Amino acid sequence: MPTTWNRSPEEFHKIYVANTEAFYRLGRAELAPEMDEFMTKCALGLWSRAGNVNQRHVDMANQIYSRGQKQPSWMLWTLTSSVCESEVFLPPVFYWNLAESDAKRGTETSRTFIRMLTNILLYLAAVDDDVTMAEAEYITECTDRLTAVCDTNGVRKSREGLNPMDFVTSSEPSFTEKHPPQTQTSGGEKPGETAAAETRGEEEKKPSLEELMEQLDELVGLDEVKKDVKSLINLIKVRKLREQHDLPVPPMSLHMVFMGNPGTGKTTVARLVGELYAAIGVLSKGQLIEVDRSGLVAGYVGQTALKTQEVIKSALGGVLFIDEAYSLAAGGENDFGREAIETLLKAMEDHRDNLIVIVAGYDEPMDKFISSNPGLQSRFNKYFYFPDYNGEQLLAMFKMRCKKNGYALTEESEQAARELFGRLYAERDDNFGNGREVRNRFEDMVVRQSNRVAKLDSPDKEALMAVLPEDFEDRDEDEAEPTENTPERAEETKDEE
């Protein structure tokens, strides 16, 4: 039966603005950028549980922005990719601050936020006219985690929001279940026939060690990093063989330090390391959980440990990747980052057989960070150095993106791209984004190429794919500001259905 929560993208935007405006009046209007980013992450996680992802989801994603904020410009290929890469839900740092403020002032804004989030996510789930059981479970998981933050901080009780389970219309398998990475067809039993069949299916979906090593080899540049990772994998494989033959195996730490500038592939390699460790039996799952200081540190004594423990729990069986980890030790002896470090060190000891921690950041600050605590020095003794990508490597990454997404460079446009990335590398400064520069330049190129092709009369397939030198030129005009819609009367917690 179709859901009654289905709305057009334009109607949803009015609802979103009305809800958020009402919340900002209770909280703080400056939260708008963080709110929109958080809601977008929730949408990606939600739609990974949907039955499908199509242009309707794209249209809805492009309406997730508060009044006065820039409108998103999702395309189907970027949305589906991001949905597949969505990560575990974690309460954002602004929500912890909100709950702490409520506890102090005796207010309940953080509880109101939960009701608002439930309503918005139900609208987002219903974009395809169905609310799947998996989507309802995801919404429930989100609200349960936020409620736990409120309860932990002692926020006073408030009226309950809607129960997502009351609005389920479909039990269709989720998008990620139907489109798993590296899926292999077995031709045997159907999913769900037996628990054993499901287990075998999960094993088949995981890439093999050989496939993962091929993915590592395919990464542009990073020759020394690749060599170090391969040596580490060989070391672990031999250790396991020695264990099987009852030979002595000296203790070793598998935690790592990744040092380098942003965009140099640290997160990509960390994800591969987790999958490689799972493939050789070191980790049970191999998932990657990525956080920074804001994902670990809270505002009051005792809260940071709980927040950090929640993140660690989600990372068990896989890799916990902490970006800019040195910020945890940058605030002095009384900074709450120290509490996060101590909690991490204890978890690394308690779960040494099923948790790998990778800390990452700039070279010098990371050296100081590891030296700041004897516990860190004893647990992190493997260092990987990620150099900046040069112009040719940036070009190679750009060409890979073009090929993957169905764009064809002419000789002239390839030369224009080579000159562009050569210039970007030669003129790089502390803000140079490496691989992120490639992604940004590719997305800019797609927009310019689309604007050019849209002016053609009945463009054929070749014209739709062709990238010309002018598609790399910067536009003179600024992008237009998004049109503001007049919000409906705000009723962020009203049960409309």
XYZ file of all heavy atoms in Angstrom, residues 176-253:
609
model
N 21.433 -1.285 -0.978
C 22.788 -1.835 -0.841
C 22.787 -3.351 -0.817
O 23.768 -3.976 -1.202
C 23.465 -1.292 0.431
O 22.584 -1.482 1.551
C 23.778 0.177 0.301
N 21.677 -3.948 -0.376
C 21.587 -5.410 -0.427
C 21.455 -5.893 -1.866
O 21.997 -6.939 -2.241
C 20.388 -5.895 0.388
C 20.566 -5.789 1.891
C 19.312 -6.170 2.646
O 18.195 -5.942 2.131
O 19.441 -6.690 3.759
N 20.722 -5.108 -2.682
C 20.532 -5.493 -4.078
C 21.694 -5.089 -4.975
O 21.830 -5.600 -6.076
C 19.233 -4.865 -4.607
C 17.990 -5.446 -3.960
C 16.717 -5.028 -4.668
C 16.414 -3.569 -4.506
N 15.112 -3.180 -5.080
N 22.525 -4.129 -4.504
C 23.664 -3.661 -5.292
C 24.934 -3.684 -4.442
O 25.549 -2.650 -4.209
C 23.421 -2.245 -5.814
C 22.196 -2.125 -6.655
N 20.940 -1.916 -6.111
C 22.021 -2.200 -8.002
C 20.050 -1.858 -7.093
N 20.682 -2.025 -8.242
N 25.340 -4.863 -3.966
C 26.533 -4.930 -3.107
C 27.794 -4.734 -3.931
O 27.808 -5.029 -5.130
C 26.473 -6.348 -2.535
C 25.766 -7.128 -3.603
C 24.751 -6.182 -4.207
N 28.877 -4.227 -3.315
C 30.145 -4.104 -4.032
C 30.729 -5.466 -4.328
O 30.647 -6.374 -3.497
C 31.029 -3.316 -3.041
C 30.420 -3.571 -1.703
C 28.958 -3.729 -1.941
N 31.299 -5.608 -5.525
C 31.980 -6.840 -5.902
C 31.067 -8.057 -5.765
O 31.474 -9.116 -5.306
C 33.249 -7.057 -5.055
C 34.254 -5.934 -5.146
C 34.888 -5.843 -6.508
O 35.034 -6.841 -7.194
N 35.246 -4.650 -6.908
N 29.794 -7.922 -6.158
C 28.859 -9.029 -6.005
C 29.232 -10.165 -6.949
O 29.543 -9.956 -8.108
C 27.428 -8.561 -6.317
O 27.108 -7.494 -5.433
C 26.436 -9.687 -6.150
N 29.171 -11.385 -6.443
C 29.404 -12.558 -7.258
C 28.127 -13.388 -7.279
O 27.467 -13.547 -6.251
C 30.545 -13.415 -6.692
C 31.854 -12.653 -6.609
C 32.925 -13.476 -5.939
O 32.743 -14.641 -5.662
N 34.051 -12.870 -5.680
N 27.749 -13.924 -8.432
C 26.549 -14.736 -8.511
C 26.903 -16.188 -8.301
O 27.828 -16.720 -8.906
C 25.883 -14.567 -9.886
O 26.844 -14.879 -10.910
C 25.432 -13.116 -10.069
N 26.162 -16.819 -7.441
C 26.462 -18.218 -7.138
C 25.568 -19.160 -7.923
O 25.879 -20.330 -8.099
C 26.261 -18.475 -5.636
O 24.922 -18.219 -5.277
N 24.384 -18.683 -8.366
C 23.504 -19.543 -9.129
C 22.852 -20.615 -8.291
O 22.223 -21.531 -8.806
N 22.982 -20.540 -6.996
C 22.432 -21.558 -6.110
C 21.210 -21.083 -5.394
O 20.222 -20.695 -5.982
N 21.283 -21.117 -4.083
C 20.132 -20.800 -3.263
C 19.776 -19.321 -3.361
O 20.619 -18.472 -3.594
C 20.431 -21.159 -1.803
C 20.692 -22.632 -1.616
C 21.537 -22.861 -0.389
O 22.536 -22.152 -0.225
O 21.190 -23.744 0.399
N 18.525 -18.996 -3.140
C 18.058 -17.619 -3.128
C 18.298 -17.016 -1.762
O 18.239 -17.719 -0.760
C 16.575 -17.562 -3.472
C 16.259 -18.038 -4.888
C 14.778 -17.955 -5.144
C 14.446 -18.435 -6.550
N 12.995 -18.383 -6.817
N 18.561 -15.684 -1.695
C 18.751 -15.041 -0.397
C 17.541 -15.256 0.492
O 16.409 -15.185 0.071
C 18.917 -13.556 -0.749
C 19.369 -13.562 -2.173
C 18.709 -14.737 -2.792
N 17.808 -15.561 1.755
C 16.741 -15.686 2.728
C 16.213 -17.099 2.881
O 15.343 -17.344 3.714
N 16.692 -18.075 2.060
C 16.169 -19.430 2.181
C 16.521 -20.039 3.526
O 15.691 -20.636 4.178
C 16.710 -20.307 1.042
C 16.073 -20.003 -0.293
C 16.548 -20.938 -1.376
O 17.528 -21.681 -1.148
O 15.947 -20.929 -2.453
N 17.777 -19.910 3.908
C 18.208 -20.417 5.207
C 19.265 -19.493 5.754
O 19.875 -18.715 5.028
C 18.808 -21.840 5.088
O 19.997 -21.749 4.288
C 17.827 -22.811 4.425
N 19.519 -19.593 7.067
C 20.564 -18.776 7.682
C 21.914 -19.110 7.081
O 22.753 -18.236 6.865
C 20.585 -18.998 9.188
N 22.122 -20.375 6.780
C 23.407 -20.789 6.209
C 23.596 -20.182 4.824
O 24.684 -19.747 4.467
C 23.483 -22.315 6.118
N 22.499 -20.161 4.036
C 22.592 -19.585 2.702
C 22.905 -18.106 2.771
O 23.679 -17.592 1.976
C 21.283 -19.809 1.947
N 22.309 -17.397 3.740
C 22.582 -15.974 3.899
C 24.044 -15.745 4.255
O 24.676 -14.821 3.770
C 21.674 -15.389 4.983
C 20.220 -15.315 4.560
C 19.321 -14.832 5.681
O 19.840 -14.617 6.784
O 18.106 -14.693 5.451
N 24.571 -16.588 5.117
C 25.968 -16.453 5.520
C 26.898 -16.654 4.336
O 27.846 -15.902 4.129
C 26.314 -17.468 6.620
O 25.448 -17.240 7.726
C 27.758 -17.335 7.057
N 26.594 -17.692 3.534
C 27.418 -17.933 2.352
C 27.326 -16.770 1.390
O 28.302 -16.368 0.774
C 26.976 -19.229 1.655
C 27.371 -20.485 2.405
C 27.255 -21.689 1.469
N 25.891 -21.886 1.010
C 24.978 -22.594 1.653
N 25.271 -23.140 2.817
N 23.769 -22.743 1.145
N 26.112 -16.193 1.264
C 25.937 -15.055 0.377
C 26.766 -13.880 0.800
O 27.377 -13.191 -0.017
N 26.817 -13.613 2.114
C 27.619 -12.506 2.618
C 29.089 -12.727 2.307
O 29.818 -11.807 1.974
C 27.417 -12.356 4.134
C 26.056 -11.804 4.513
C 25.831 -10.426 3.921
O 26.733 -9.580 4.022
O 24.757 -10.202 3.343
N 29.537 -13.985 2.448
C 30.940 -14.282 2.171
C 31.259 -14.055 0.704
O 32.329 -13.582 0.345
C 31.253 -15.724 2.575
C 31.232 -15.929 4.102
C 31.400 -17.383 4.467
O 31.364 -18.218 3.539
O 31.548 -17.675 5.659
N 30.293 -14.404 -0.180
C 30.525 -14.255 -1.602
C 30.615 -12.784 -2.009
O 31.270 -12.439 -2.970
C 29.405 -14.954 -2.382
C 29.497 -16.482 -2.292
C 28.282 -17.148 -2.903
O 27.324 -16.423 -3.244
O 28.298 -18.369 -3.041
N 29.922 -11.915 -1.279
C 29.905 -10.504 -1.624
C 31.231 -9.825 -1.302
O 31.552 -8.795 -1.856
C 28.767 -9.790 -0.887
C 27.381 -10.221 -1.337
C 26.319 -9.603 -0.438
C 24.936 -10.160 -0.756
N 23.916 -9.666 0.185
N 31.982 -10.383 -0.360
C 33.226 -9.753 0.049
C 34.311 -10.025 -0.992
O 34.494 -11.160 -1.436
C 33.673 -10.293 1.407
C 32.750 -9.889 2.552
C 33.252 -10.440 3.867
C 32.347 -10.030 5.020
N 32.815 -10.579 6.321
N 35.057 -9.006 -1.396
C 36.132 -9.232 -2.368
C 37.232 -10.101 -1.775
O 37.488 -10.070 -0.564
C 36.633 -7.816 -2.673
C 36.208 -6.990 -1.503
C 34.936 -7.595 -1.001
N 37.872 -10.877 -2.615
C 38.943 -11.759 -2.161
C 40.216 -10.964 -1.900
O 40.329 -9.786 -2.285
C 39.224 -12.826 -3.216
O 39.757 -12.222 -4.398
N 41.186 -11.613 -1.282
C 42.476 -10.976 -1.024
C 43.124 -10.542 -2.331
O 43.681 -9.441 -2.418
C 43.387 -11.949 -0.268
C 44.807 -11.448 0.035
C 44.761 -10.221 0.939
C 45.634 -12.557 0.672
N 43.041 -11.387 -3.347
C 43.646 -11.054 -4.637
C 42.982 -9.833 -5.264
O 43.649 -8.944 -5.812
C 43.542 -12.253 -5.593
C 44.404 -13.453 -5.212
C 43.875 -14.211 -4.003
O 42.651 -14.083 -3.710
O 44.657 -14.906 -3.340
N 41.647 -9.763 -5.179
C 40.932 -8.610 -5.731
C 41.293 -7.328 -4.991
O 41.454 -6.269 -5.596
C 39.420 -8.859 -5.654
C 38.932 -9.934 -6.610
C 37.483 -10.321 -6.353
O 37.048 -10.267 -5.181
O 36.795 -10.683 -7.322
N 41.436 -7.442 -3.684
C 41.796 -6.263 -2.893
C 43.211 -5.795 -3.210
O 43.484 -4.595 -3.273
C 41.658 -6.568 -1.401
C 40.222 -6.771 -0.905
C 40.214 -7.357 0.503
C 39.461 -5.454 -0.929
N 44.116 -6.739 -3.415
C 45.478 -6.364 -3.774
C 45.508 -5.702 -5.154
O 46.298 -4.787 -5.392
C 46.385 -7.596 -3.758
C 46.563 -8.228 -2.369
S 47.176 -7.089 -1.111
C 48.888 -6.954 -1.572
N 44.637 -6.155 -6.043
C 44.534 -5.507 -7.353
C 44.038 -4.070 -7.200
O 44.525 -3.154 -7.877
C 43.577 -6.296 -8.260
C 44.145 -7.610 -8.774
C 43.151 -8.364 -9.629
O 42.076 -7.781 -9.945
O 43.428 -9.518 -9.989
N 43.052 -3.870 -6.311
C 42.563 -2.512 -6.061
C 43.677 -1.632 -5.508
O 43.787 -0.455 -5.875
C 41.400 -2.555 -5.070
C 40.130 -3.175 -5.613
C 39.003 -3.169 -4.593
O 38.893 -2.259 -3.777
N 38.170 -4.202 -4.630
N 44.501 -2.187 -4.651
C 45.633 -1.438 -4.106
C 46.595 -1.058 -5.217
O 47.048 0.105 -5.297
C 46.348 -2.282 -3.043
C 47.568 -1.648 -2.363
C 47.147 -0.460 -1.505
C 48.306 -2.677 -1.504
N 46.902 -2.012 -6.094
C 47.833 -1.744 -7.191
C 47.292 -0.692 -8.158
O 48.058 0.041 -8.788
C 48.130 -3.035 -7.966
C 49.062 -3.969 -7.194
O 49.888 -3.449 -6.409
O 48.953 -5.191 -7.365
N 45.961 -0.621 -8.291
C 45.356 0.307 -9.240
C 45.356 1.754 -8.746
O 45.094 2.672 -9.539
C 43.914 -0.128 -9.538
C 43.832 -1.393 -10.398
C 42.422 -1.939 -10.474
O 41.518 -1.320 -9.844
O 42.215 -2.962 -11.136
N 45.645 1.969 -7.477
C 45.690 3.331 -6.970
C 46.798 4.113 -7.656
O 47.890 3.593 -7.897
C 45.927 3.333 -5.449
C 44.833 2.724 -4.570
C 45.260 2.776 -3.106
C 43.515 3.455 -4.763
N 46.522 5.354 -7.988
C 47.515 6.195 -8.661
C 48.600 6.596 -7.666
O 48.314 6.996 -6.530
C 46.845 7.461 -9.239
C 47.886 8.412 -9.802
C 45.826 7.078 -10.305
N 49.870 6.486 -8.085
C 50.983 6.882 -7.218
C 51.103 5.999 -5.988
O 50.845 4.792 -6.035
N 51.547 6.589 -4.881
C 51.643 5.908 -3.577
C 52.495 4.638 -3.637
O 52.201 3.650 -2.968
C 50.249 5.560 -3.048
C 49.251 6.712 -2.884
C 47.902 6.173 -2.422
C 49.769 7.746 -1.909
N 53.565 4.654 -4.409
C 54.370 3.443 -4.592
C 54.927 2.918 -3.274
O 54.876 1.710 -3.001
C 55.520 3.726 -5.570
C 55.028 3.985 -6.984
O 53.889 3.577 -7.288
O 55.758 4.604 -7.771
N 55.470 3.790 -2.432
C 56.046 3.348 -1.163
C 54.964 2.848 -0.219
O 55.168 1.869 0.510
C 56.836 4.495 -0.518
C 58.140 4.820 -1.208
C 59.087 3.622 -1.244
O 59.236 2.950 -0.199
O 59.662 3.349 -2.310
N 53.820 3.526 -0.224
C 52.708 3.083 0.633
C 52.254 1.688 0.226
O 52.045 0.814 1.078
C 51.530 4.082 0.551
C 50.297 3.528 1.265
C 51.921 5.423 1.153
N 52.102 1.467 -1.079
C 51.687 0.148 -1.560
C 52.687 -0.925 -1.121
O 52.297 -2.010 -0.677
C 51.583 0.157 -3.089
C 50.486 1.029 -3.648
C 50.568 1.038 -5.175
C 49.611 2.032 -5.788
N 49.763 2.103 -7.262
N 53.976 -0.605 -1.263
C 55.000 -1.575 -0.885
C 54.942 -1.891 0.604
O 55.032 -3.055 1.011
C 56.386 -1.035 -1.262
C 57.517 -2.037 -1.039
C 58.821 -1.543 -1.639
C 59.422 -0.433 -0.801
N 60.775 -0.045 -1.267
N 54.718 -0.846 1.424
C 54.651 -1.047 2.872
C 53.419 -1.859 3.269
O 53.489 -2.707 4.168
C 54.633 0.304 3.590
C 55.971 1.027 3.499
O 56.978 0.368 3.197
O 56.003 2.256 3.727
N 52.291 -1.594 2.620
C 51.074 -2.352 2.929
C 51.263 -3.825 2.557
O 50.893 -4.732 3.320
C 49.859 -1.758 2.182
C 48.644 -2.689 2.299
C 49.508 -0.388 2.738
N 51.848 -4.079 1.394
C 52.074 -5.462 0.976
C 53.016 -6.182 1.943
O 52.804 -7.361 2.277
C 52.654 -5.493 -0.446
C 51.670 -5.065 -1.512
C 52.325 -5.009 -2.891
C 51.345 -4.541 -3.944
N 51.964 -4.425 -5.289
N 54.051 -5.488 2.394
C 54.977 -6.097 3.358
C 54.260 -6.424 4.659
O 54.501 -7.483 5.271
C 56.149 -5.143 3.632
O 56.922 -4.944 2.473
N 53.378 -5.528 5.083
C 52.634 -5.756 6.320
C 51.701 -6.960 6.178
O 51.603 -7.792 7.088
C 51.830 -4.498 6.672
C 51.070 -4.505 8.003
C 52.004 -4.767 9.171
C 50.339 -3.184 8.193
N 51.027 -7.062 5.047
C 50.133 -8.199 4.812
C 50.933 -9.506 4.809
O 50.516 -10.513 5.390
C 49.374 -8.032 3.483
C 48.458 -6.803 3.541
C 48.566 -9.280 3.160
C 47.409 -6.851 4.625
N 52.091 -9.498 4.142
C 52.934 -10.702 4.132
C 53.383 -11.069 5.534
O 53.411 -12.256 5.910
C 54.153 -10.474 3.233
C 53.789 -10.435 1.761
O 52.772 -10.982 1.351
N 54.612 -9.781 0.971
N 53.738 -10.064 6.326
C 54.171 -10.313 7.696
C 53.060 -10.980 8.502
O 53.295 -11.956 9.238
C 54.578 -8.988 8.347
C 54.956 -9.035 9.831
C 56.165 -9.929 10.052
C 55.228 -7.622 10.341
N 51.845 -10.474 8.351
C 50.724 -11.033 9.108
C 50.403 -12.451 8.639
O 50.110 -13.336 9.456
C 49.494 -10.113 8.968
C 49.791 -8.756 9.604
C 48.277 -10.739 9.639
C 48.728 -7.718 9.334
N 50.453 -12.677 7.328
C 50.179 -14.017 6.811
C 51.180 -15.030 7.355
O 50.812 -16.148 7.751
C 50.220 -13.995 5.281
C 49.016 -13.294 4.652
C 49.226 -13.003 3.171
C 49.287 -14.253 2.345
N 49.407 -13.913 0.888
N 52.452 -14.653 7.396
C 53.477 -15.560 7.911
C 53.293 -15.787 9.406
O 53.476 -16.906 9.923
C 54.885 -15.018 7.596
C 55.953 -15.853 8.306
C 55.131 -15.026 6.087
N 52.912 -14.728 10.143
C 52.645 -14.889 11.575
C 51.531 -15.912 11.816
O 51.633 -16.754 12.709
C 52.239 -13.544 12.181
C 53.394 -12.587 12.424
C 52.871 -11.224 12.842
N 52.103 -11.294 14.067
C 52.621 -11.251 15.302
N 53.932 -11.132 15.458
N 51.849 -11.318 16.358
N 50.483 -15.844 11.010
C 49.380 -16.791 11.175
C 49.832 -18.210 10.853
O 49.408 -19.172 11.509
C 48.203 -16.377 10.289
C 47.532 -15.076 10.740
C 46.350 -14.709 9.866
C 45.171 -15.621 10.128
N 44.588 -15.419 11.468
N 50.681 -18.344 9.837
C 51.209 -19.671 9.515
C 52.072 -20.213 10.655
O 52.021 -21.410 10.992
C 52.015 -19.617 8.221
C 51.206 -19.405 6.931
C 52.138 -19.171 5.744
C 50.310 -20.613 6.667
N 52.884 -19.347 11.261
C 53.709 -19.774 12.395
C 52.831 -20.205 13.571
O 53.132 -21.193 14.251
C 54.645 -18.639 12.819
C 55.779 -18.369 11.828
C 56.662 -17.225 12.291
N 57.348 -17.549 13.546
C 58.519 -18.161 13.636
N 59.144 -18.535 12.530
N 59.073 -18.414 14.802
N 51.752 -19.477 13.793
C 50.831 -19.856 14.863
C 50.242 -21.240 14.610
O 50.105 -22.049 15.539
C 49.709 -18.826 14.978
C 50.151 -17.490 15.565
C 49.034 -16.464 15.541
O 47.978 -16.751 14.916
O 49.208 -15.376 16.121
N 49.894 -21.505 13.347
C 49.316 -22.804 13.013
C 50.297 -23.951 13.232
O 49.890 -25.089 13.468
C 48.846 -22.792 11.553
C 47.676 -21.853 11.288
C 47.368 -21.709 9.816
O 47.888 -22.465 8.970
N 46.521 -20.733 9.479
N 51.592 -23.639 13.165
C 52.609 -24.664 13.375
C 53.220 -24.588 14.772
O 54.305 -25.150 15.026
C 53.712 -24.539 12.309
C 53.282 -24.959 10.934
N 52.589 -24.105 10.090
C 53.421 -26.134 10.273
C 52.339 -24.745 8.949
N 52.832 -25.973 9.031
N 52.538 -23.895 15.679
C 52.970 -23.789 17.075
C 54.379 -23.220 17.220
O 55.141 -23.619 18.115
C 52.894 -25.172 17.758
C 51.467 -25.679 17.832
O 50.567 -24.855 18.039
O 51.272 -26.906 17.671
N 54.735 -22.302 16.323
C 56.027 -21.631 16.421
C 55.860 -20.301 17.159
O 54.787 -19.692 17.121
C 56.592 -21.375 15.021
C 57.010 -22.618 14.235
C 57.353 -22.256 12.795
C 58.199 -23.304 14.911
N 56.905 -19.839 17.840
C 56.805 -18.569 18.564
C 56.478 -17.396 17.630
O 56.997 -17.313 16.520
C 58.201 -18.396 19.188
C 58.834 -19.738 19.117
C 58.230 -20.455 17.973
N 55.615 -16.507 18.098
C 55.245 -15.317 17.339
C 55.425 -14.110 18.252
O 54.703 -13.959 19.232
C 53.778 -15.384 16.853
C 53.413 -14.101 16.125
C 53.570 -16.588 15.946
N 56.415 -13.272 17.976
C 56.633 -12.102 18.834
C 55.445 -11.150 18.763
O 54.807 -11.032 17.721
C 57.897 -11.457 18.255
C 57.945 -11.925 16.836
C 57.357 -13.304 16.843
N 55.142 -10.484 19.864
C 54.014 -9.541 19.859
C 54.287 -8.372 18.919
O 55.425 -7.937 18.765
C 53.935 -9.081 21.321
C 55.312 -9.316 21.867
C 55.842 -10.526 21.164
N 53.228 -7.875 18.300
C 53.366 -6.719 17.429
C 52.061 -5.925 17.422
O 50.980 -6.479 17.602
C 53.741 -7.127 15.999
C 52.677 -7.917 15.254
S 53.098 -8.266 13.527
C 52.951 -6.650 12.798
N 52.184 -4.640 17.231
C 51.015 -3.772 17.145
C 50.664 -3.565 15.680
O 51.539 -3.331 14.851
C 51.303 -2.422 17.815
O 50.249 -1.518 17.559
